[in-house]
Structures are given as structure tokens and as C-alpha cells.
Amino acid sequence: MRPHRLELQAFGAFPGRVELDLDALGQNGLLLLCGDTGGGKTTLLDALGFALYGVVPGERAKARDELRSHHAAPGDSTWVRLEFSVRGRRWRVTRSPEQLRPAKRGSGTTKEQPSARLEERVDDRWEPVAQRLDEVGLEVGRLVGMDAAQFFQVVLLPQGRFAAFLQADHKERERLLTQLFQVDRYRSAERWLADRAAEAAGRLDDAVRALSDVAARVAQQADAPRPDDLEADPGWARRLAEAAAGAREAEDARVAALAVARTAAEAELAAAADLARRQEERRTAEEQLSALEQEAPALAPVAAQLEAAERAVPVAVAAASARLRAQEHAAAREVLSAARAALAAAGGAGADDADARALRATSAAARTELGRLELLRDVQQRAAEAEAAAATAVQEAAAAADAARAAEESLAALDLARQDAERRRATARAAAEALPARRSALEAVEEQVARRAEAAAAEERAAALAVQRDEARAEAARLADVARELRNERYEAMAAELAAKLVDDDECPVCGSLDHPAPAEVRADHVTLEQEQEADRARAAADARAAELAAAVAAATERAAVLRGPATDEHADLDGLRREVAALEQSAADLAPAERALTELEGRATALREQALTSRLRGEEAARAADAAGAAAAQDRARLARSLGEDDDLEGRLAAVAALAERAEDAAAAADAVAAAARAAQEAATTAADLATAAGFEDAGAAEAAARDAAWRAHARTRLDAHRERLAAVRARLADADLAVALDPPAAVDAAREALQEAAQAHETALAEARLAAERARRLAELLPVWEQAAAALPPLRQEAAERKGLAELAAGRGANRLSMPLSTFVLAARLEEVAAAASVRLARMTDGRYSLVHTDTSRDRRSRAGLGLQVEDAWTGRLRDTATLSGGETFMTALSLALGLADVVTAEAGGQTIDALFVDEGFGSLDATTLDTVMDVLDELRSGGRLVGLVSHVADLRLRIPTQVLVDKGSTGSRVRTTLTAA
């Protein structure tokens, strides 16, 4: 992965937009990020990490809500964009954090959710690949081949994180290594073995519980105690089952004998009960026959009345129908009389004696006249509508003439306003054409005045900075002398310490000589390593301060020269120009309103012309329509006069003729109804007389006297039929052989029932006891194979559970595991051993072969877990040292070597992913000049093959060694970035 371009806006310490062309800055391989403390050097690396993964490294990740610059303008959004390449393909990722922005409507702010976008460069254009946070994260992780934790240990080495990993305890180191190396499969193996062991133990427990459950069921069924050791007596259940089978056979024999006695008692009870039933039925039948024979004489008159009533039924029905038809004939005659009276009142002739045919002729003549009059009604309505249309057309013609006159008057007034608008447009157009030239002249004069004022301020700043630069250089020279003197004094003190340990005939640890002719003397003013390092840091800080001030003086001087520019004697009337430009702007601003007004006036004039023409045409058309409607109305009125004569009440004549036709039709219908009713009455009277004679009655009146209603007839018939049926049934029953029994003596049913109860009780008791014995024998027979199977399953399950438990404890670091190290930790320890070997190569070079990193299985704290320990082997003493005993500079070199070794191993672990960039944040200030040279030589080798190595540091020597620099300047309104290329 190679970064090419980093852009950010309103991010961290930078309120504005920052662009870093990493291709141009990385041409020499080494890049230094330097500047004021707290200016935002680390923020640039945070932006790179945030663009890729949406998080920033180290402790700053906890303040992700503070990623937006506090100095940014409210309208400027916060975002970061990074262009990078992987395997020859160019990518661009853009991210923005959660932030508040001004609301689009009203006042206040609204929360904007985080966003991300990944694009690929295809044929000179950016094609979108992913636009969701999770999708962009997955794609970036796939492209780079590392997650955020791996990236911050391999590519971007954050500030203060080296020593944290070096001095971490087992738990913290294991957590980080687990993020960097894939050990999920080994932890899965641990969990898998633990699960298999738990499953085997569970199966064993289930088998023990199953055997115990079976034993409890066997003991319960056999009503016997269960043995204490279930596995010691395997034949216990079989003995109980065989005993239960013998008891079942004995109970079955007793039940069979009692069943025979019960069957005999049941037969005796059945015979006694049957005799008692027949005796009771015989007695009841004799009593019923006597009662029925006594009831027969009282039913003879009822039978005679029923026979006469049934013969009179059809005669009574015919007589009632004849009376109804006579009543209908009388009612029809009354209706006919009323209809003839109504017809005479309506003007009908011959109404009193006219028959139905004459009445219908009168109705037909009236209907013909009614049709003629209906046609005249249409003529009358059409004449009225034509007269109304003529009046409306006259009004429309007058209104159209008025509208045409009004439109012409408005058009004349509008022409004056259009001329005024044309004059406004011409004036504004001339001002707009002259405005650009006068505005350019004004801007030139204002820029000249502003540049001269800024140049004066820059010259004053350059002078002040020059004084500070000279003072800083003097201070740097003084501190350099102090540091040199302290170093010499310390070297002398070190020689004196060695001399104090020299003994005759013992080798000198420096030269190996056995003679010590002039050992150095110990001085009282001993200088410590901390004092020497403090002096070096003070000197380096002074050098950096002097270099920064020199650069600032040069920049301010150059800025002043550029701003002042060549000398000129041009003087312009600035206030006059401003007034002239303001006047032209005001006049030119009226151009658009004047053009809009003119366009509007022309449109209105066109509309008024069209309105006047339309009104004239509409008036002429309305006048023609009025003339045509008046002529049509006069023609219809003349036709009405010819048809009606002097009587012009058309509606009255229509009503009278319609009433005459309706009355004539009503009278004809009434005449037809009278004739039909007379015929029906005569026919009904003849039918009733004929039916009475046929039924044996003198006349219809006699038949009606003998008639009875249907309910009486039904009741009498049912009464007679029921008596006959009961009498026949009783006689048939007494003749049946089943009732041919004597009534004395009565059957002995109670004695037989008591004997059966005793036999049945004895049999039921035996059956219950036999069922219990059979159920016990059956259940014990069913439980026997279950018991034997459960007992046989225990031994192999015990062996399997023991084997799996041993394997699981071994993988989990318990039991037979002498290292007490889980499998995943053992794998991480192997990876850490590789890291220590890779780190030792660089650490030996940085320390002139003195130190190397060694992996150890022991822990600093015996109470904690082991396996991921690191120690330093000191070649000077040949002993291992705890990393906590290293000095500050030694700790930085060891931690840097460890980080680089970790980067090598993680890169290999990621599948050979090529990493073409490395960024190291701070830590170089703890090194002396010689060690710094050695460390820089090692870092120089990292840029081989085109790798970009970026360093963040305050050390002044690095600014002299690394020509390509990104300088961060901080201020009260935020920080800004500038790049420079200085001489090495």
C-alpha cells in the first residue's frame, strides 16, 4: 500500500483546507513532520488513519467526537480524503465524522451523521465502489490486508505506543498480539476440545442418571429396596422380574375359578328377572282391556256426527263462495254508478246509459285531442326560449362594445409607460458596460494600498525576528559549549570509575592489559548520564529554536519584498473611485428590473389589443344572434294563434281534455266489472245447490247446519282411531305365548340378586389383584433390558470422558500442561519469538551489538500467566535484563526495533502484502547524537525500494538531516501547513 495524496478540511488543529502531495514529498524517501508543539503534526497522521479506518490511533481514539476543528467556520464541513494505490490500482477514500452543521431552515444546528465513500480510478475518472460505512471498512481492510490495529503497528507507529507494548503485561500483550495475528482457529480448537470434553462428561452424567432412574423405577415397581452400589449386583433386576412373573401366574388361576361361579349366579338372576317381567306385563294388559271395553258405548254418537260433518264439507264451501260473489256484484254496480257521474261532470255525453264500447270511443277521441294540444305546448315553449335568447344576445352585444372601448383606452395609457421603461433600460445598460473597468481600477488601487501596509508589517516582524534569531544563536552556542564540557567531564568520570576497579595482574576491561601504570583519579564533581542528556536536549532545543527563527526571518523578509513590489509613483483618488463605482453599481442594478418591466408592459399591450379585437367580434356575433332569435319567436307565436283561436289558455284546455279521457276509461272499466261479477254470482249459486243434492241434503242450508269445523273433525277422528288401535293391541298382547304365565307365586328376584353380588365382588377383587400382578411383571420385564443396557454403557463412557478431559485441559493450559500455557498463547508465543528475532537484528545495529531481544516463557509476576514475556540480553554482561531497567533512549531504540520487527512479521503474516510507507511519531529526542546517527542509518534502509518513511519529531538534527519537511505553524485561529526543501 502506497499513499499518494492526503487532503483534509476543518479537521483537528486545522480550520481550513490542507493538501499534502505525498508523491512529491516522498521523492527522497524520508519526510520530516515538524513544527510547534501542539500545532497538529500528529493530527496529520490521525487524518491518514481516519481516512482508511474511520478511527485515530492511541488514546486520541477516545475523543472521536472532537475530530472537528474548533476554529472552523460554521459552514465548513469536516472531511478527510486519501488517495492510495494497492497492486497497481489507484483508490480514493473520503470520510467525514459525526458533526454539527447550521440548520438549512431557521436558526440552530443539526447533527450530520458520519459518511464514507470509496472510489477507484478508471480511465481518468473516479468510479464509486462503496458508499456505506460498513462496506467501505470491509473494502479497505481487504485492499490493505490489515485491520486498524495491525495498520497502527505496521505502517503508522503512533506516539507513545512503542514502550506500551514493550512494557505490557501478559494480558495486554496477548490482547494486542491477538489483534495482529490470526489465532482464532487455535482458540476455536481450545473451545472445541472443551466442548467435546463437556459433552463426554455430560453423556457420562446422563448415563449415571439414566441407570439411577431405571433402578428407582425397578424398585418402585417391585416394591423392593434398591442396592447401594448399582453396578455391583447386575442380576438384581432379573431376580425381581422372575418373581413377579410367578406371582402373575398364580393370580390368573384364581381369577378363572371365580369367573365360573359368577357366570352361574348371573344366569339364575336373569331367569328370575324374566319371569317377574312377564307376570307384570300380563297384569297390566288385563287392566287395559277392561277399561277400553267400558269406553266403547260413549263413542257411538260421536262417530255418527263425524260422518254427517264430513259429507257437508264441500257443500258449505260452495255456499260461502256464492255469497261472496253476490257481494262482489253489488259493489261493482256502485263503482259503475260513481264513474258515470264523474264522466258527466267532465262533459261526457250519454253518460247515464252508455255501454262500455261507447265509453271507450269517448276516451279515444279525448286522447287524440290531447296529443294535438301537447304539440302546441312544444311550440309555445320554443317561442319563449327564442325571445329570452334574443334579449340575452342584445345585452351581450352592449357589454362587448363597452369592453372594446375600455381596452383601447388602457392601450393608449400603456404606451406612455413603455416609453419610460425604455429610457430606464438604456441608462442602466450604459452603467453596466462602464462598471467592470472602473471596478478593476478600484481593486488595483485597493490592492496596492493593502500590499504596502502588509509589507510594512512584514518588515517590522522580520526585524523583530532577526533580533530573536541572533539571541537564539548565541544561546545555542553557549549551550553547545556547556554540553561539550559536561560530556568531557562525564568521560573523565567514567574513566575514573573504571580505574577504581583496576587490580594488579587483572585484565583491563577496556584494553585487556595486565599493567595499569597511570589510572585516572576520581573527581568530586561527578557528571551523570542524565545531566549530559539534559544538556544535549537543551542544546538541541536551542538549535531548533534558532533554525526556526532563521527560517521565519527569511520568510518574513521575502514576504515583505514580494508584497512591496516595484516602486511606483501612481496615486489615485481612492474615495472618488469608490463613489463612482457605487453610483455605477446602483444604476446598473436597475437594468434587470427595467428589462422585466419593459417585457411586462409589451405583454400587457399585446393582451389589450387582442382583448379589443375579441370584444368587437363578440358584439357583432351577439347582434346577429339576437335578430335570428326574434324572427323565430314571432313565427311560433303566429302558429299558436292560428291553432288556439280566441281561447289562448293552452294549459287549461290540456287539463280538461286529459280529465275527460281518464273519466271515460274509468267508466268503461267499471261497466266491464259489473257484467263479470253478475256472471260469477249466478254460477256460484248453481254449484252450491247441485252439491247439496248430491250429498243427501235437502238444500245448501241443511248441509251448512250439519257441518263442523276442521279442528272438531280432526279431534273426533283421532279419538275414535286411537280407541280402536288400543283395543286391538291389548287383545293381541294377551294372546301372545310370552304372557301365558301364572301370576302366583311371584318370581324370587331379590334372592338371586344378592347371590350374584357376592360372586361378582369376589371375582372383581381377584381381577384387580391379577391386573396388579400382571402390570408389575410386564413393567419389570420391560425395564430389565433397559437396566442391562444402561449398566453396560457406563464403562466406555467413563474412559471417553477421562480422555477428552485430559486433552481439553492440556489445550487450556491445565492438567498435564507443564507450561500452563493455552494453545492459542503457545502460538502467539511462537509469533512473539519471531518478532523478537526480527527486532534483535535492528536493535543490535542501533546499540553497536550490545542488546538483543529474547522471548521468555516466564512472567514478571508469578501470580499471572506466562508465555509472552520479553527480556533484553546484554552482551556486555552476558545476562538477561528486564525491559523496565533500560534507560529512556535504550527503551526508545528497543521499542522502535520491536515495532519494526513486529511490522516485518505481521506483513509476512498478512500474505506478503507490500507496505511502501512507514510513519514514526516522536521519540527521537531521547537519543544522543551518535545513537541518533545509528538509528537514522537503520531508518534509511527502510526506504530502499521506493518506500516512504515519515518521521514526526522536534529534534533539530533531524531537520538538518532530512531536507523534505512538512512544517506546522500554530496560531490563535488554528494551525496551517507549509512544505519546504532545505539544504542538508
Side-chain angles (χ1 to χ4, degrees):
M1 193 279 289
R2 174 68 179 241
H4 298 287
R5 186 178 187 84
L6 177 64
E7 301 176 63
L8 55 98
Q9 175 176 288
F11 187 84
F14 303 99
R17 183 166 179 172
V18 176
E19 299 181 8
L20 292 180
D21 187 348
L22 298 178
D23 287 338
L25 295 171
Q27 290 181 357
N28 294 328
L30 278 178
L31 170 65
L32 178 65
L33 284 77
C34 57
D36 301 335
T37 299
K41 301 182 296 298
T42 300
T43 301
L44 298 177
L45 301 187
D46 289 347
L48 192 149
F50 179 78
L52 288 174
Y53 296 101
V55 296
V56 297
E59 296 297 324
R60 297 182 300 280
K62 299 178 182 179
R64 56 184 178 181
D65 295 338
E66 299 294 330
L67 295 179
R68 176 172 172 80
S69 175
H70 294 176
H71 301 287
D76 293 343
S77 60
T78 299
W79 54 267
V80 177
R81 181 180 296 127
L82 175 67
E83 293 183 26
F84 64 97
S85 60
V86 177
R87 299 186 182 94
R89 297 169 65 182
R90 188 86 167 218
W91 304 86
R92 182 171 73 179
V93 59
T94 306
R95 286 186 186 269
S96 62
E98 180 182 289
Q99 54 190 300
L100 295 177
R101 61 171 176 80
K104 295 181 179 180
R105 297 180 179 179
S107 59
T109 59
T110 184
K111 180 180 291 186
E112 186 174 292
Q113 298 299 322
S115 63
R117 180 183 180 89
L118 179 65
E119 303 164 290
E120 182 181 5
R121 187 74 171 179
V122 179
D123 297 334
D124 297 331
R125 67 179 185 276
W126 292 104
E127 295 288 344
V129 176
Q131 300 186 28
R132 287 176 43 185
L133 292 175
D134 53 350
E135 293 177 352
V136 172
L138 289 175
E139 288 295 328
V140 170
R142 182 183 62 82
L143 292 172
V144 180
M146 291 177 282
D147 60 15
Q150 293 172 325
F151 186 82
F152 293 146
Q153 285 293 332
V154 176
V155 179
L156 198 159
L157 308 182
Q159 183 177 8
R161 299 299 296 173
F162 307 144
F165 177 64
L166 179 66
Q167 305 294 351
D169 58 11
H170 174 94
K171 183 177 180 181
E172 179 64 21
R173 191 170 289 158
E174 181 179 27
R175 185 189 65 80
L176 181 57
L177 290 175
T178 301
Q179 292 178 339
L180 298 177
F181 299 104
Q182 299 297 327
V183 294
D184 292 343
R185 68 184 70 176
Y186 304 103
R187 289 190 170 178
S188 298
E190 295 174 13
R191 290 192 295 270
W192 186 86
L193 289 174
D195 292 343
R196 300 294 83 73
E199 290 175 1
R203 286 196 295 271
L204 177 60
D205 292 341
D206 292 342
V208 171
R209 283 193 298 271
L211 182 62
S212 178
D213 291 344
V214 173
R217 292 164 61 189
V218 169
Q220 180 182 6
Q221 294 300 329
D223 194 16
R226 54 181 278 181
D228 295 334
D229 189 353
L230 297 177
E231 301 178 50
D233 187 6
W236 169 69
R238 181 171 293 278
R239 292 194 302 273
L240 293 177
E242 292 173 351
R248 179 189 60 192
E249 294 175 356
E251 290 295 332
D252 289 343
R254 189 165 71 93
V255 168
L258 291 175
V260 173
R262 179 176 183 176
T263 302
E266 289 175 348
E268 292 177 0
L269 176 60
D274 182 65
L275 177 59
R277 175 186 63 77
R278 290 187 294 153
Q279 288 176 343
E280 180 62 26
E281 289 183 2
R282 176 78 182 186
R283 185 181 300 106
T284 302
E286 290 178 351
E287 292 174 355
Q288 290 176 349
L289 178 61
S290 176
L292 290 172
E293 289 175 347
Q294 293 176 4
E295 187 182 359
L299 293 177
V302 176
Q305 294 177 6
L306 175 62
E307 188 272 336
E310 288 180 345
R311 286 187 292 108
V313 169
V315 180
V317 173
S321 177
R323 286 194 298 274
L324 179 62
R325 296 297 178 267
Q327 293 173 359
E328 290 176 351
H329 179 252
R333 291 180 61 83
E334 292 178 359
V335 172
L336 176 59
S337 176
R340 284 175 173 171
L343 177 59
D352 293 337
D353 55 356
D355 58 5
R357 182 179 298 174
L359 293 173
R360 286 192 174 87
T362 302
S363 175
R367 291 294 179 188
T368 301
E369 177 64 14
L370 187 63
R372 188 184 70 83
L373 294 175
E374 287 288 349
L375 294 176
L376 293 179
R377 174 186 283 173
D378 295 339
V379 174
Q380 187 182 46
Q381 182 177 359
R382 190 167 60 246
E385 291 175 352
E387 291 170 350
T392 301
V394 170
Q395 294 177 356
E396 289 181 354
D402 295 339
R405 285 192 298 273
E408 291 171 352
E409 293 173 358
S410 300
L411 187 61
L414 197 65
D415 187 59
L416 298 176
R418 184 179 60 78
Q419 294 175 4
D420 182 63
E422 288 178 347
R423 286 192 295 273
R424 283 177 55 201
R425 181 179 66 177
T427 302
R429 183 173 294 167
E433 293 174 353
L435 180 61
R438 302 312 299 160
R439 186 179 285 163
S440 298
L442 175 61
E443 291 175 354
V445 173
E446 289 178 340
E447 182 180 1
Q448 182 180 12
V449 172
R451 287 170 64 90
R452 288 181 177 178
E454 189 175 353
E459 289 172 353
E460 294 178 359
R461 174 173 172 76
L465 290 173
V467 175
Q468 298 179 16
R469 177 200 59 197
D470 295 340
E471 294 175 352
R473 286 176 175 173
E475 178 64 14
R478 184 186 69 79
L479 291 175
D481 294 339
V482 172
R484 192 179 304 106
E485 292 176 1
L486 288 174
R487 186 177 296 108
N488 292 334
E489 292 177 1
R490 183 167 179 272
Y491 288 161
E492 292 176 359
M494 292 172 63
E497 291 177 1
L498 289 174
K501 299 178 182 179
L502 294 177
V503 179
D504 291 340
D505 298 330
D506 286 346
E507 294 182 355
C508 175
V510 178
C511 63
S513 174
L514 298 177
D515 297 329
H516 318 296
E521 297 181 357
V522 178
R523 299 175 51 184
D525 52 347
H526 177 65
V527 177
T528 64
L529 175 61
E530 287 74 13
Q531 290 175 325
E532 179 187 356
Q533 291 175 344
E534 180 64 28
D536 286 336
R537 284 194 291 270
R539 175 192 59 77
D543 289 340
R545 176 63 177 165
E548 291 176 359
L549 289 173
V553 170
T557 302
E558 182 181 359
R559 176 66 176 167
V562 171
L563 290 173
R564 186 168 295 281
T568 176
D569 295 332
E570 182 180 353
H571 298 284
D573 183 6
L574 182 60
D575 294 337
L577 279 174
R578 288 175 176 168
R579 288 193 297 272
E580 183 179 355
V581 168
L584 288 174
E585 288 176 344
Q586 182 177 3
S587 180
D590 191 41
L591 177 59
E595 289 180 343
R596 288 195 297 272
L598 183 60
T599 301
E600 181 182 357
L601 289 172
E602 290 175 350
R604 290 172 58 191
T606 301
L608 287 172
R609 293 188 190 96
E610 294 178 354
Q611 181 180 352
L613 178 60
T614 302
S615 298
R616 292 194 191 96
L617 294 176
R618 189 169 63 250
E620 294 173 358
E621 183 179 358
R624 288 192 296 272
D627 294 341
Q635 185 178 359
D636 290 337
R637 290 296 180 188
R639 180 180 175 183
L640 287 172
R642 289 192 302 269
S643 299
L644 296 176
E646 295 179 358
D647 185 5
D648 58 352
D649 185 8
L650 177 60
E651 296 299 327
R653 293 184 63 182
L654 278 169
V657 173
L660 177 63
E662 185 177 355
R663 300 295 181 272
E665 290 175 356
D666 292 343
D672 290 340
V674 168
R679 288 192 298 272
Q682 182 62 38
E683 291 175 356
T686 302
T687 300
D690 293 343
L691 288 175
T693 301
F697 296 100
E698 295 179 1
D699 53 20
E704 287 182 325
R708 296 289 187 273
D709 58 26
W712 184 92
R713 295 196 306 273
H715 176 72
R717 189 181 303 110
T718 300
R719 182 181 176 187
L720 293 173
D721 292 343
H723 182 268
R724 283 193 299 270
E725 291 174 357
R726 289 199 300 272
L727 185 61
V730 169
R731 288 172 178 171
R733 181 60 178 156
L734 287 173
D736 191 354
D738 188 52
L739 297 186
V741 295
L743 298 179
D744 290 318
V749 176
D750 293 338
R753 184 177 291 111
E754 290 178 359
L756 176 60
Q757 288 178 350
E758 292 176 358
Q761 183 175 3
H763 182 248
E764 293 295 335
T765 302
L767 279 175
E769 294 176 354
R771 282 195 295 270
L772 291 175
E775 183 67 15
R776 175 176 297 171
R778 183 186 65 80
R779 292 186 177 180
L780 288 175
E782 292 176 352
L783 290 174
L784 180 60
V786 179
W787 159 270
E788 293 176 345
Q789 183 179 1
L794 281 179
L797 289 176
R798 287 190 186 278
Q799 182 178 357
E800 180 187 13
E803 292 175 354
R804 292 193 174 188
K805 180 180 180 182
L807 285 175
E809 289 184 345
L810 182 65
R814 299 187 298 271
N817 190 328
R818 296 190 303 274
L819 296 177
S820 297
M821 188 186 304
L823 178 60
S824 57
T825 305
F826 181 80
V827 175
L828 290 177
R831 290 289 186 269
L832 185 59
E833 189 172 2
E834 295 176 10
V835 171
S840 296
V841 175
R842 293 188 175 91
L843 180 59
R845 290 193 54 193
M846 292 181 186
T847 60
D848 294 331
R850 179 178 180 182
Y851 293 128
S852 61
L853 273 172
V854 178
H855 164 256
T856 176
D857 293 334
T858 61
S859 173
R860 295 176 181 174
D861 187 354
R862 296 181 179 178
R863 294 171 297 176
S864 61
R865 297 174 64 181
L868 299 178
L870 285 174
Q871 290 182 327
V872 176
E873 184 176 4
D874 191 345
W876 287 7
T877 63
R879 300 181 62 181
L880 295 176
R881 295 173 52 183
D882 194 307
T883 56
T885 65
L886 297 175
S887 66
E890 291 171 340
T891 299
F892 173 75
M893 289 186 293
T894 305
L896 179 59
S897 300
L898 180 61
L900 297 176
L902 190 63
D904 293 341
V905 177
V906 171
T907 301
E909 178 75 10
Q913 179 71 278
T914 302
I915 303 299
D916 293 329
L918 175 68
F919 295 92
V920 181
D921 191 354
E922 291 296 353
F924 298 93
S926 61
L927 306 178
D928 57 53
T930 302
T931 305
L932 180 61
D933 291 341
T934 304
V935 172
M936 288 303 300
D937 291 340
V938 173
L939 292 177
D940 281 338
E941 295 177 356
L942 296 178
R943 57 178 176 170
S944 62
R947 176 184 288 187
L948 170 64
V949 179
L951 308 179
V952 178
S953 180
H954 295 279
V955 177
D957 287 348
L958 292 181
R959 298 186 64 176
L960 300 177
R961 291 180 60 106
I962 304 175
T964 304
Q965 301 174 7
V966 175
L967 299 146
V968 180
D969 297 327
K970 71 177 181 180
S972 59
T973 59
S975 299
R976 63 186 182 90
V977 170
R978 53 192 175 93
T979 59
T980 182
L981 182 63
T982 61

